[in-house]
mmCIF file of all heavy atoms in Angstrom:
data_model
loop_
_atom_site.group_PDB
_atom_site.id
_atom_site.type_symbol
_atom_site.label_atom_id
_atom_site.label_comp_id
_atom_site.label_asym_id
_atom_site.label_seq_id
_atom_site.Cartn_x
_atom_site.Cartn_y
_atom_site.Cartn_z
ATOM 1 N N ALA F 23 -4.714 -3.398 1.253
ATOM 2 C CA ALA F 23 -5.420 -3.540 2.447
ATOM 3 C C ALA F 23 -6.733 -4.404 2.267
ATOM 4 O O ALA F 23 -7.064 -5.241 3.027
ATOM 5 C CB ALA F 23 -5.812 -2.222 3.089
ATOM 6 N N GLY F 24 -7.375 -4.125 1.081
ATOM 7 C CA GLY F 24 -8.574 -4.868 0.801
ATOM 8 C C GLY F 24 -8.255 -6.327 0.550
ATOM 9 O O GLY F 24 -9.045 -7.239 1.023
ATOM 10 N N VAL F 25 -7.102 -6.651 -0.023
ATOM 11 C CA VAL F 25 -6.791 -8.067 -0.357
ATOM 12 C C VAL F 25 -6.323 -8.758 0.902
ATOM 13 O O VAL F 25 -6.685 -9.874 1.242
ATOM 14 C CB VAL F 25 -5.738 -8.124 -1.518
ATOM 15 C CG1 VAL F 25 -5.131 -9.544 -1.569
ATOM 16 C CG2 VAL F 25 -6.349 -7.724 -2.784
ATOM 17 N N THR F 26 -5.341 -8.083 1.712
ATOM 18 C CA THR F 26 -4.809 -8.725 2.832
ATOM 19 C C THR F 26 -5.675 -8.813 4.046
ATOM 20 O O THR F 26 -5.630 -9.787 4.793
ATOM 21 C CB THR F 26 -3.440 -8.147 3.214
ATOM 22 O OG1 THR F 26 -3.689 -6.760 3.433
ATOM 23 C CG2 THR F 26 -2.460 -8.268 2.016
ATOM 24 N N THR F 27 -6.435 -7.765 4.267
ATOM 25 C CA THR F 27 -7.254 -7.670 5.578
ATOM 26 C C THR F 27 -8.720 -7.736 5.340
ATOM 27 O O THR F 27 -9.511 -7.958 6.307
ATOM 28 C CB THR F 27 -6.919 -6.374 6.434
ATOM 29 O OG1 THR F 27 -7.314 -5.274 5.655
ATOM 30 C CG2 THR F 27 -5.434 -6.320 6.663
ATOM 31 N N GLY F 28 -9.161 -7.469 4.079
ATOM 32 C CA GLY F 28 -10.537 -7.436 3.767
ATOM 33 C C GLY F 28 -11.186 -6.147 4.114
ATOM 34 O O GLY F 28 -12.431 -6.016 3.896
ATOM 35 N N ASP F 29 -10.491 -5.170 4.726
ATOM 36 C CA ASP F 29 -11.088 -3.882 5.090
ATOM 37 C C ASP F 29 -10.057 -2.824 4.782
ATOM 38 O O ASP F 29 -8.970 -2.747 5.392
ATOM 39 C CB ASP F 29 -11.538 -3.927 6.554
ATOM 40 C CG ASP F 29 -12.111 -2.621 6.981
ATOM 41 O OD1 ASP F 29 -12.756 -1.990 6.126
ATOM 42 O OD2 ASP F 29 -11.926 -2.306 8.209
ATOM 43 N N ALA F 30 -10.514 -1.831 4.033
ATOM 44 C CA ALA F 30 -9.583 -0.652 3.726
ATOM 45 C C ALA F 30 -10.225 0.633 4.154
ATOM 46 O O ALA F 30 -9.766 1.683 3.773
ATOM 47 C CB ALA F 30 -9.259 -0.611 2.305
ATOM 48 N N SER F 31 -11.331 0.507 4.999
ATOM 49 C CA SER F 31 -12.067 1.722 5.329
ATOM 50 C C SER F 31 -11.175 2.686 6.134
ATOM 51 O O SER F 31 -11.399 3.933 6.033
ATOM 52 C CB SER F 31 -13.275 1.348 6.236
ATOM 53 O OG SER F 31 -12.852 0.746 7.347
ATOM 54 N N TRP F 32 -10.190 2.180 6.882
ATOM 55 C CA TRP F 32 -9.317 3.141 7.655
ATOM 56 C C TRP F 32 -8.444 3.926 6.752
ATOM 57 O O TRP F 32 -7.898 4.974 7.158
ATOM 58 C CB TRP F 32 -8.554 2.308 8.692
ATOM 59 C CG TRP F 32 -7.661 1.329 8.094
ATOM 60 C CD1 TRP F 32 -8.025 -0.013 7.737
ATOM 61 C CD2 TRP F 32 -6.366 1.460 7.689
ATOM 62 N NE1 TRP F 32 -6.986 -0.614 7.172
ATOM 63 C CE2 TRP F 32 -5.889 0.243 7.162
ATOM 64 C CE3 TRP F 32 -5.372 2.401 7.860
ATOM 65 C CZ2 TRP F 32 -4.565 0.015 6.661
ATOM 66 C CZ3 TRP F 32 -4.083 2.242 7.376
ATOM 67 C CH2 TRP F 32 -3.690 0.962 6.784
ATOM 68 N N LEU F 33 -8.234 3.464 5.485
ATOM 69 C CA LEU F 33 -7.517 4.270 4.475
ATOM 70 C C LEU F 33 -8.346 5.245 3.684
ATOM 71 O O LEU F 33 -7.944 6.089 2.907
ATOM 72 C CB LEU F 33 -6.835 3.349 3.491
ATOM 73 C CG LEU F 33 -5.603 2.603 4.079
ATOM 74 C CD1 LEU F 33 -5.141 1.574 3.040
ATOM 75 C CD2 LEU F 33 -4.521 3.619 4.341
ATOM 76 N N LEU F 34 -9.715 5.141 3.854
ATOM 77 C CA LEU F 34 -10.658 5.957 3.085
ATOM 78 C C LEU F 34 -11.454 6.857 3.941
ATOM 79 O O LEU F 34 -12.663 6.982 3.892
ATOM 80 C CB LEU F 34 -11.595 4.953 2.310
ATOM 81 C CG LEU F 34 -10.935 4.088 1.298
ATOM 82 C CD1 LEU F 34 -11.845 3.087 0.754
ATOM 83 C CD2 LEU F 34 -10.238 4.867 0.197
ATOM 84 N N GLY F 35 -10.858 7.557 4.841
ATOM 85 C CA GLY F 35 -11.437 8.501 5.665
ATOM 86 C C GLY F 35 -11.588 8.038 7.155
ATOM 87 O O GLY F 35 -12.162 8.840 7.923
ATOM 88 N N GLY F 36 -11.320 6.822 7.432
ATOM 89 C CA GLY F 36 -11.416 6.344 8.778
ATOM 90 C C GLY F 36 -10.263 6.904 9.630
ATOM 91 O O GLY F 36 -9.423 7.687 9.162
ATOM 92 N N LYS F 37 -10.285 6.487 10.865
ATOM 93 C CA LYS F 37 -9.181 6.924 11.761
ATOM 94 C C LYS F 37 -7.976 6.036 11.517
ATOM 95 O O LYS F 37 -8.018 4.836 11.377
ATOM 96 C CB LYS F 37 -9.592 6.731 13.181
ATOM 97 C CG LYS F 37 -10.779 7.657 13.562
ATOM 98 C CD LYS F 37 -11.093 7.551 14.976
ATOM 99 C CE LYS F 37 -11.854 6.238 15.202
ATOM 100 N NZ LYS F 37 -12.385 6.037 16.528
ATOM 101 N N PRO F 38 -6.750 6.635 11.520
ATOM 102 C CA PRO F 38 -5.555 5.890 11.330
ATOM 103 C C PRO F 38 -5.315 4.833 12.485
ATOM 104 O O PRO F 38 -4.662 3.822 12.238
ATOM 105 C CB PRO F 38 -4.449 6.875 11.365
ATOM 106 C CG PRO F 38 -5.054 8.202 10.979
ATOM 107 C CD PRO F 38 -6.484 8.095 11.444
ATOM 108 N N SER F 39 -5.920 5.103 13.650
ATOM 109 C CA SER F 39 -5.820 4.144 14.761
ATOM 110 C C SER F 39 -6.587 2.860 14.462
ATOM 111 O O SER F 39 -6.396 1.831 15.197
ATOM 112 C CB SER F 39 -6.206 4.785 15.991
ATOM 113 O OG SER F 39 -7.611 5.134 15.931
ATOM 114 N N ASP F 40 -7.361 2.909 13.459
ATOM 115 C CA ASP F 40 -8.145 1.625 13.096
ATOM 116 C C ASP F 40 -7.370 0.660 12.253
ATOM 117 O O ASP F 40 -7.806 -0.362 11.842
ATOM 118 C CB ASP F 40 -9.426 2.002 12.342
ATOM 119 C CG ASP F 40 -10.417 2.850 13.201
ATOM 120 O OD1 ASP F 40 -10.245 2.756 14.403
ATOM 121 O OD2 ASP F 40 -11.264 3.537 12.577
ATOM 122 N N LYS F 41 -6.158 1.028 11.976
ATOM 123 C CA LYS F 41 -5.311 0.124 11.171
ATOM 124 C C LYS F 41 -5.130 -1.258 11.856
ATOM 125 O O LYS F 41 -4.819 -1.277 12.978
ATOM 126 C CB LYS F 41 -3.872 0.705 10.979
ATOM 127 C CG LYS F 41 -2.957 -0.033 10.186
ATOM 128 C CD LYS F 41 -1.593 0.592 9.956
ATOM 129 C CE LYS F 41 -0.706 0.299 11.099
ATOM 130 N NZ LYS F 41 0.662 0.623 10.927
ATOM 131 N N PRO F 42 -5.352 -2.344 11.074
ATOM 132 C CA PRO F 42 -5.260 -3.650 11.666
ATOM 133 C C PRO F 42 -3.864 -3.977 12.124
ATOM 134 O O PRO F 42 -2.922 -3.518 11.474
ATOM 135 C CB PRO F 42 -5.722 -4.560 10.512
ATOM 136 C CG PRO F 42 -6.207 -3.698 9.442
ATOM 137 C CD PRO F 42 -5.801 -2.335 9.692
ATOM 138 N N ALA F 43 -3.746 -4.760 13.138
ATOM 139 C CA ALA F 43 -2.385 -5.208 13.544
ATOM 140 C C ALA F 43 -1.758 -6.058 12.586
ATOM 141 O O ALA F 43 -2.405 -6.900 11.927
ATOM 142 C CB ALA F 43 -2.542 -5.903 14.912
ATOM 143 N N GLY F 44 -0.487 -5.786 12.301
ATOM 144 C CA GLY F 44 0.243 -6.705 11.365
ATOM 145 C C GLY F 44 0.044 -6.278 9.898
ATOM 146 O O GLY F 44 0.585 -6.841 8.984
ATOM 147 N N TYR F 45 -0.562 -5.140 9.650
ATOM 148 C CA TYR F 45 -0.765 -4.667 8.261
ATOM 149 C C TYR F 45 0.639 -4.073 7.817
ATOM 150 O O TYR F 45 1.272 -3.379 8.500
ATOM 151 C CB TYR F 45 -1.835 -3.592 8.202
ATOM 152 C CG TYR F 45 -1.872 -2.832 6.888
ATOM 153 C CD1 TYR F 45 -2.461 -3.505 5.752
ATOM 154 C CD2 TYR F 45 -1.237 -1.648 6.659
ATOM 155 C CE1 TYR F 45 -2.528 -2.853 4.560
ATOM 156 C CE2 TYR F 45 -1.259 -1.010 5.451
ATOM 157 C CZ TYR F 45 -1.944 -1.665 4.355
ATOM 158 O OH TYR F 45 -1.985 -1.069 3.184
ATOM 159 N N GLY F 46 0.960 -4.439 6.604
ATOM 160 C CA GLY F 46 2.197 -3.921 6.001
ATOM 161 C C GLY F 46 2.869 -5.004 5.272
ATOM 162 O O GLY F 46 2.339 -6.119 5.006
ATOM 163 N N MET F 47 4.094 -4.680 4.811
ATOM 164 C CA MET F 47 4.910 -5.617 4.065
ATOM 165 C C MET F 47 6.338 -5.390 4.418
ATOM 166 O O MET F 47 6.710 -4.394 5.004
ATOM 167 C CB MET F 47 4.687 -5.402 2.581
ATOM 168 C CG MET F 47 5.004 -4.001 2.076
ATOM 169 S SD MET F 47 4.809 -3.790 0.233
ATOM 170 C CE MET F 47 3.114 -3.862 0.058
ATOM 171 N N GLY F 48 7.138 -6.339 4.106
ATOM 172 C CA GLY F 48 8.541 -6.335 4.341
ATOM 173 C C GLY F 48 9.281 -5.421 3.371
ATOM 174 O O GLY F 48 8.661 -4.829 2.473
ATOM 175 N N LEU F 49 10.594 -5.314 3.594
ATOM 176 C CA LEU F 49 11.423 -4.446 2.826
ATOM 177 C C LEU F 49 11.453 -4.818 1.346
ATOM 178 O O LEU F 49 11.410 -3.949 0.411
ATOM 179 C CB LEU F 49 12.853 -4.408 3.330
ATOM 180 C CG LEU F 49 13.809 -3.372 2.718
ATOM 181 C CD1 LEU F 49 13.231 -1.940 2.843
ATOM 182 C CD2 LEU F 49 15.173 -3.491 3.380
ATOM 183 N N SER F 50 11.510 -6.094 1.045
ATOM 184 C CA SER F 50 11.422 -6.537 -0.387
ATOM 185 C C SER F 50 10.114 -6.135 -1.032
ATOM 186 O O SER F 50 10.041 -5.779 -2.199
ATOM 187 C CB SER F 50 11.722 -8.054 -0.459
ATOM 188 O OG SER F 50 10.613 -8.722 0.255
ATOM 189 N N GLY F 51 9.035 -6.189 -0.262
ATOM 190 C CA GLY F 51 7.714 -5.759 -0.828
ATOM 191 C C GLY F 51 7.709 -4.257 -1.066
ATOM 192 O O GLY F 51 7.136 -3.843 -2.080
ATOM 193 N N VAL F 52 8.327 -3.462 -0.238
ATOM 194 C CA VAL F 52 8.437 -2.022 -0.423
ATOM 195 C C VAL F 52 9.255 -1.712 -1.743
ATOM 196 O O VAL F 52 8.894 -0.882 -2.551
ATOM 197 C CB VAL F 52 9.052 -1.339 0.772
ATOM 198 C CG1 VAL F 52 9.312 0.143 0.494
ATOM 199 C CG2 VAL F 52 8.157 -1.479 1.944
ATOM 200 N N TYR F 53 10.373 -2.412 -1.879
ATOM 201 C CA TYR F 53 11.232 -2.267 -3.084
ATOM 202 C C TYR F 53 10.443 -2.694 -4.346
ATOM 203 O O TYR F 53 10.431 -1.965 -5.331
ATOM 204 C CB TYR F 53 12.472 -3.057 -2.992
ATOM 205 C CG TYR F 53 13.527 -2.543 -2.076
ATOM 206 C CD1 TYR F 53 14.472 -3.310 -1.439
ATOM 207 C CD2 TYR F 53 13.562 -1.073 -1.811
ATOM 208 C CE1 TYR F 53 15.393 -2.792 -0.546
ATOM 209 C CE2 TYR F 53 14.524 -0.640 -0.905
ATOM 210 C CZ TYR F 53 15.421 -1.427 -0.331
ATOM 211 O OH TYR F 53 16.413 -0.959 0.520
ATOM 212 N N ALA F 54 9.723 -3.771 -4.228
ATOM 213 C CA ALA F 54 8.898 -4.181 -5.397
ATOM 214 C C ALA F 54 7.808 -3.220 -5.755
ATOM 215 O O ALA F 54 7.525 -2.914 -6.927
ATOM 216 C CB ALA F 54 8.290 -5.574 -5.195
ATOM 217 N N THR F 55 7.176 -2.595 -4.675
ATOM 218 C CA THR F 55 6.180 -1.577 -4.946
ATOM 219 C C THR F 55 6.707 -0.377 -5.533
ATOM 220 O O THR F 55 6.171 0.245 -6.413
ATOM 221 C CB THR F 55 5.505 -1.262 -3.589
ATOM 222 O OG1 THR F 55 4.949 -2.386 -3.031
ATOM 223 C CG2 THR F 55 4.392 -0.238 -3.775
ATOM 224 N N THR F 56 7.980 0.020 -5.097
ATOM 225 C CA THR F 56 8.629 1.183 -5.683
ATOM 226 C C THR F 56 8.880 1.010 -7.187
ATOM 227 O O THR F 56 8.680 1.921 -7.971
ATOM 228 C CB THR F 56 10.022 1.499 -4.942
ATOM 229 O OG1 THR F 56 9.689 1.664 -3.560
ATOM 230 C CG2 THR F 56 10.708 2.636 -5.503
ATOM 231 N N VAL F 57 9.362 -0.200 -7.550
ATOM 232 C CA VAL F 57 9.616 -0.442 -8.968
ATOM 233 C C VAL F 57 8.331 -0.506 -9.716
ATOM 234 O O VAL F 57 8.273 0.128 -10.838
ATOM 235 C CB VAL F 57 10.374 -1.830 -9.082
ATOM 236 C CG1 VAL F 57 10.472 -2.272 -10.455
ATOM 237 C CG2 VAL F 57 11.821 -1.725 -8.554
ATOM 238 N N LEU F 58 7.280 -1.032 -9.162
ATOM 239 C CA LEU F 58 6.043 -1.080 -9.832
ATOM 240 C C LEU F 58 5.475 0.347 -10.031
ATOM 241 O O LEU F 58 4.981 0.566 -11.188
ATOM 242 C CB LEU F 58 5.017 -1.873 -8.985
ATOM 243 C CG LEU F 58 3.541 -1.950 -9.493
ATOM 244 C CD1 LEU F 58 3.556 -2.818 -10.791
ATOM 245 C CD2 LEU F 58 2.640 -2.571 -8.468
ATOM 246 N N VAL F 59 5.552 1.218 -9.051
ATOM 247 C CA VAL F 59 5.099 2.572 -9.199
ATOM 248 C C VAL F 59 5.847 3.316 -10.273
ATOM 249 O O VAL F 59 5.231 4.003 -11.167
ATOM 250 C CB VAL F 59 5.185 3.357 -7.890
ATOM 251 C CG1 VAL F 59 4.973 4.823 -8.006
ATOM 252 C CG2 VAL F 59 4.138 2.764 -6.864
ATOM 253 N N VAL F 60 7.181 3.223 -10.287
ATOM 254 C CA VAL F 60 7.982 3.858 -11.322
ATOM 255 C C VAL F 60 7.622 3.368 -12.746
ATOM 256 O O VAL F 60 7.475 4.093 -13.682
ATOM 257 C CB VAL F 60 9.468 3.748 -11.005
ATOM 258 C CG1 VAL F 60 10.349 4.213 -12.182
ATOM 259 C CG2 VAL F 60 9.835 4.360 -9.756
ATOM 260 N N LEU F 61 7.474 2.054 -12.893
ATOM 261 C CA LEU F 61 7.125 1.472 -14.203
ATOM 262 C C LEU F 61 5.748 1.870 -14.626
ATOM 263 O O LEU F 61 5.542 2.144 -15.811
ATOM 264 C CB LEU F 61 7.225 -0.068 -14.138
ATOM 265 C CG LEU F 61 8.685 -0.671 -13.968
ATOM 266 C CD1 LEU F 61 8.606 -2.173 -13.912
ATOM 267 C CD2 LEU F 61 9.508 -0.155 -15.149
ATOM 268 N N ILE F 62 4.759 1.992 -13.707
ATOM 269 C CA ILE F 62 3.464 2.385 -14.110
ATOM 270 C C ILE F 62 3.442 3.880 -14.455
ATOM 271 O O ILE F 62 2.728 4.304 -15.431
ATOM 272 C CB ILE F 62 2.470 2.114 -12.928
ATOM 273 C CG1 ILE F 62 2.227 0.635 -12.749
ATOM 274 C CG2 ILE F 62 1.182 2.881 -13.155
ATOM 275 C CD1 ILE F 62 1.457 0.319 -11.578
ATOM 276 N N LEU F 63 4.165 4.693 -13.796
ATOM 277 C CA LEU F 63 4.117 6.172 -14.039
ATOM 278 C C LEU F 63 4.966 6.550 -15.262
ATOM 279 O O LEU F 63 4.876 7.678 -15.774
ATOM 280 C CB LEU F 63 4.510 6.929 -12.784
ATOM 281 C CG LEU F 63 3.511 6.890 -11.681
ATOM 282 C CD1 LEU F 63 4.085 7.715 -10.497
ATOM 283 C CD2 LEU F 63 2.186 7.386 -12.128
ATOM 284 N N TYR F 64 5.917 5.701 -15.621
ATOM 285 C CA TYR F 64 6.828 6.125 -16.770
ATOM 286 C C TYR F 64 5.994 6.525 -18.058
ATOM 287 O O TYR F 64 6.273 7.596 -18.541
ATOM 288 C CB TYR F 64 7.815 5.069 -17.097
ATOM 289 C CG TYR F 64 8.632 5.385 -18.326
ATOM 290 C CD1 TYR F 64 9.670 6.400 -18.158
ATOM 291 C CD2 TYR F 64 8.467 4.840 -19.563
ATOM 292 C CE1 TYR F 64 10.430 6.733 -19.240
ATOM 293 C CE2 TYR F 64 9.250 5.220 -20.642
ATOM 294 C CZ TYR F 64 10.218 6.119 -20.503
ATOM 295 O OH TYR F 64 10.965 6.510 -21.563
ATOM 296 N N PRO F 65 5.111 5.628 -18.535
ATOM 297 C CA PRO F 65 4.368 6.089 -19.768
ATOM 298 C C PRO F 65 3.488 7.367 -19.573
ATOM 299 O O PRO F 65 3.402 8.203 -20.450
ATOM 300 C CB PRO F 65 3.416 4.959 -20.029
ATOM 301 C CG PRO F 65 3.889 3.877 -19.248
ATOM 302 C CD PRO F 65 4.620 4.326 -18.118
ATOM 303 N N LEU F 66 2.935 7.523 -18.359
ATOM 304 C CA LEU F 66 2.265 8.752 -18.061
ATOM 305 C C LEU F 66 3.140 10.004 -18.060
ATOM 306 O O LEU F 66 2.747 11.002 -18.624
ATOM 307 C CB LEU F 66 1.523 8.602 -16.671
ATOM 308 C CG LEU F 66 0.433 7.598 -16.583
ATOM 309 C CD1 LEU F 66 -0.043 7.451 -15.199
ATOM 310 C CD2 LEU F 66 -0.715 7.858 -17.514
#
């Protein structure tokens, strides 16, 4: 959120209704994030 919209305050205690329009990613981004999370957490 900080990189794409410049504001992540709505994720840090703000209201969820403050989410900027168009925030998010496509299905391929979700799959890539899933792989990234699994790879990061494996050593831990």
Side-chain angles (χ1 to χ4, degrees):
V25 168
T26 58
T27 66
D29 179 33
S31 62
W32 59 276
L33 285 168
L34 301 170
K37 295 182 286 186
S39 60
D40 294 339
K41 180 177 88 167
Y45 172 77
M47 60 178 68
L49 188 58
S50 60
V52 173
Y53 286 152
T55 304
T56 301
V57 170
L58 179 69
V59 166
V60 170
L61 290 176
I62 290 172
L63 289 181
Y64 177 74
L66 296 173

